[in-house]
């Protein structure tokens, strides 16, 4: 079931498959604050009773810190994962599906974090991994994907999904990214992401709102689902507002919510926020925003850069797209309803601008150095 | 006391300052497996009773996972820290010293992880940070250091320490890297590192041996000190063998141990393992190796690359220098004395080779793609 729900699909809209559990059988001690002896660094295995079978071995994903940026504003720093992004939570679960069905390998279309994470989990499971990227692969991303031994195939943009489909059909590899006309993705993806909600709950309880960088809306929905499960388990009666933070250069979820559609297509304008650019949304995003009483915020690159710089000046260097959560908070405000959490998805090393040297050398004498110190306001 | 012990220093050898505690006052629950409600993601604050005053705010450092590479062989993945290296444990403590003495800022000489980590913790504490780097700053490291707002000063190599001394004396910034002829570093550095031993102990108890990438030996000593404290607190009667893993291009600790010296100087040969290259060692390294019945292993770049590739093929992309721990294990063997831990200090993004694109583009047709798949053994 990697292509959405076969029963509800119409010609141009496909709805995602939802994973359900027997919640009555979840051990009551699962959410005790200490979490049992295996909690710290145990990865998603800590949450196994509420996840699909974790057939693929883990890398200690999840368990990321919640850093207090200012009173009542927290950053969930997902750059502390095995491949330094939130995608590791998804790929632990999707690679487990591949192992579970006995697939000879996995395939993914991605130009960044998703591909590298899939490559890492495939490597850990001893499976081959094929990554279709766009044609202009930055050298750092090439090194990142290649390190794990993935077969990296930089192809023209428009060819990525047709080729992925052929690799699935002809080679039998298990797809861990989307294959459908509107986004459905892998059913196990949001299952991995929902553990973010569990962790936030253990750290500070249920916040008033969660601001989430949003491309296809899988992360947004996963975090939302996690909180709804906590309510279903009787652990809380509160739920947070989910605020989807999209790039203004491509905001299909904003369009879908505005027009009352399950999913929408949009044109993509230029932006440096490559990791959250999506030309199409999926129904999961609509559900999270609608059912939580949330909203969609669209952010231009200037707002994203301001939020990225704000995070860095607090000691957290995030990728531009990863700063969308904080940028969303700064755009619409928040906090009246209790503490807020901004999810920061990935590290600053992943940005394309990282390859440009900007600092000038200094001669080795004290006069040259003290001139630079004075320019920085540091020395009389 | 940032320049070693003033009483025992001779003309060319300076001994480090050691931090001692009133161990009788350590709460007995500190090492309970669950660690209390604030354990997960709480950063070094979790261990405050055994650390110097943590006057500078944290970023959720430490609490990194121990990933089982094979039966009895564990990797302590320090790339999960706030700036993706072990240095964050040190800088939380050294920046706290700067805050504690009311310094107007901090200064560090580093071309990589140490400088970026210092910059992040200074930013978090609201202090300026000056980083002296070598003249050939890779663009990614420039972006990394600059993101946190540090004053980055690329100067000729030989000028770094004299200039740092002047910044300390004339501007009053607090030094968080070494200032002495043999390495002493900051007294609080190993205090941060020793928390690695505490975490390993909670996860698997006391291992038979710990393999540590070794430059100046601060990390090696810190981990050793942590285990000795566990014994002193009556929590164990075992101690691990400490194996220092140096680059063969510069192995001052190997020389010091071989010749019975407290510290040694060596010439530096060319190597890609820039993060563990040290022309001088310090007494701490000798103590850790001698008192633990350990040894020093020297590794050439080929051995380091093989270990780096082995880690990546298990899903952990480490910096070349960071793979020295596993390379050391592969060089000398281990495991007869119980499980072994290889510390992996930092992420693959930090390597200089990351800027080189190696993967060729593929045309968008199936034939071109399937040729590449066949070359990778993936498709008949």
């Amino acid at each position: 079931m990697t292509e959405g729900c076969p029963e509800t699909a119409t010609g141009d809209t496909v709805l995602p498959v939802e994973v359900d559990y027997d919640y009555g059988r979840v051990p009551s001690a699962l959410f005790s604050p200490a979490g049992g002896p295996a909690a710290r660094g145990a990865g998603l295995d800590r949450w196994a009773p509420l996840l699909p079978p974790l057939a693929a071995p883990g890398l200690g994903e999840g368990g990321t810190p919640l850093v207090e940026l200012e009173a009542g504003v927290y950053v969930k720093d997902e750059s502390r994962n095995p491949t330094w992004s939130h995608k590791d939570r998804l790929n632990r679960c999707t690679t487990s599906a591949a192992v579970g069905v006995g697939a000879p390998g996995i395939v993914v279309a991605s130009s960044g974090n998703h591909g590298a994470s899939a490559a890492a989990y495939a490597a850990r499971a001893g499976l081959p991994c094929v990554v279709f990227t766009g044609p202009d692969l930055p050298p750092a991303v090439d090194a990142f994907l290649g390190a794990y031994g993935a077969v990296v195939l930089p192809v023209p943009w428009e060819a990525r999904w047709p080729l992925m489909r052929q690799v699935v059909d002809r080679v039998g590899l298990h797809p861990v990214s989307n294959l459908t006309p509107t986004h459905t993705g892998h059913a196990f993806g949001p299952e991995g992401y929902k553990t973010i909600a569990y962790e936030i709950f253990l750290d500070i309880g249920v916040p008033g709102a969660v601001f989430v960088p949003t491309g296809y809306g899988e992360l947004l929905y996963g975090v939302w689902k996690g909180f709804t499960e906590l309510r279903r388990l009787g652990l809380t009666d509160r739920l947070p507002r989910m605020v989807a933070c999209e790039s203004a250069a491509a905001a299909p979820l904003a369009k879908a919510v505005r027009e009352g559609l399950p999913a929408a297509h949009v044109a993509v304008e230029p932006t440096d926020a490559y990791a959250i650019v999506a030309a199409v949304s999926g129904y999961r995003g609509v559900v999270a925003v609608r059912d939580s009483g949330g909203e969609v915020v669209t952010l231009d690159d200037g707002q994203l850069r301001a939020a990225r710089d704000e995070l860095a000046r607090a000691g957290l260097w995030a990728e531009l797209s990863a700063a969308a959560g904080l940028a969303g908070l700064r755009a619409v405000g928040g906090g009246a309803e209790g503490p807020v959490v901004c999810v920061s998805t990935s590290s600053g090393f992943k940005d394309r601008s990282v390859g440009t040297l900007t600092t000038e050398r200094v001669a080795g004498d004290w006069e040259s150095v003290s001139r630079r110190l004075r320019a920085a306001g540091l020395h009389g």
Side-chain angles (χ1 to χ4, degrees), chain A:
Chain A
M1 301 265 269
T2 54
E3 297 175 48
C5 173
E7 293 188 16
T8 55
T10 62
D12 56 1
T13 300
V14 184
L15 298 178
V17 172
E18 183 65 21
V19 183
D20 201 6
Y21 300 83
D22 183 353
Y23 289 95
R25 293 176 57 193
V26 174
S28 58
L30 189 62
F31 286 90
S32 74
R40 198 174 42 83
L44 292 197
D45 304 83
R46 157 117 180 53
W47 304 112
L50 279 168
L51 292 176
L54 295 171
L59 291 164
E61 58 286 327
T64 58
L66 199 59
V67 178
E68 192 166 13
L69 193 62
E70 62 195 37
V73 176
Y74 296 87
V75 176
K76 182 69 170 164
D77 185 3
E78 288 289 295
S79 78
R80 315 291 178 90
N81 275 298
T83 71
W84 313 291
S85 89
H86 65 302
K87 293 286 184 185
D88 293 324
R89 298 183 194 255
L90 175 149
N91 280 291
R92 175 76 195 280
C93 294
T94 54
T95 306
S96 288
V99 170
V101 300
I106 67 176
V107 58
V108 59
S110 161
S111 283
N113 288 325
H114 190 9
S117 175
Y121 280 84
R124 173 79 168 157
L127 290 177
C129 177
V130 173
V131 186
F132 286 108
T133 75
D136 294 315
L137 195 60
V141 176
D142 184 40
F144 190 24
L145 294 166
Y148 301 109
V151 181
V152 182
L153 299 174
V155 298
W157 280 103
E158 64 282 5
R160 295 206 298 172
W161 284 277
L163 286 168
M164 186 164 146
R165 153 73 56 200
Q166 292 194 73
V167 167
V168 171
D169 292 346
R170 298 188 187 201
V171 192
L173 302 192
H174 190 77
V176 300
S177 57
N178 189 60
L179 277 172
T180 52
T182 55
H183 191 276
T184 59
H186 196 291
F188 286 2
E191 301 306 304
Y193 291 143
K194 73 188 187 187
T195 56
I196 292 174
Y198 304 163
E199 294 171 9
I200 292 172
F201 176 71
L202 284 192
D203 282 340
I204 58 164
V206 178
V210 186
F211 292 77
V212 184
T214 298
Y216 295 119
E218 290 184 299
L219 174 63
L220 180 80
Y221 177 77
V223 175
W224 168 245
K225 180 173 179 177
F227 283 110
T228 65
E229 290 181 319
L230 294 171
R231 189 172 65 169
R232 196 163 164 176
L233 290 164
L235 295 161
T236 178
D237 52 10
R238 294 188 62 193
L239 287 172
R241 292 178 65 236
M242 299 299 301
V243 184
C245 304
E246 285 190 305
S247 165
L253 180 56
K255 182 181 176 191
V257 167
R258 196 170 57 235
E259 302 184 3
L261 304 168
H265 292 265
V266 293
V268 175
E269 307 291 328
T271 170
D272 289 332
Y274 73 95
I276 53 169
V277 162
V280 59
S281 63
Y283 186 54
R284 290 192 182 104
V286 171
V287 170
V289 170
R290 183 193 65 202
D291 292 0
S292 74
E295 63 187 302
V296 186
V297 190
T298 59
L299 302 150
D300 63 34
D301 282 15
Q303 291 171 291
L304 295 173
R305 276 192 283 270
R308 181 193 58 189
D309 292 348
E310 184 184 348
L311 284 170
R313 300 308 156 95
L316 300 170
W317 186 37
E319 183 179 341
L320 187 65
S321 301
L326 181 61
L329 173 66
R330 294 308 180 215
V332 304
E337 30 199 2
V340 297
V341 173
C342 302
V343 180
S344 179
T345 45
S346 177
S347 106
F349 272 109
K350 275 84 170 271
D351 265 321
R352 285 164 195 270
S353 61
V354 163
T356 314
L357 187 69
T358 58
T359 303
E360 279 175 45
R361 292 190 194 182
V362 193
D365 62 292
W366 175 247
E367 270 318 303
S368 308
V369 166
S370 71
R371 235 184 340 264
R372 287 276 272 271
L373 293 178
R374 277 195 300 272
L378 265 178
H379 184 49

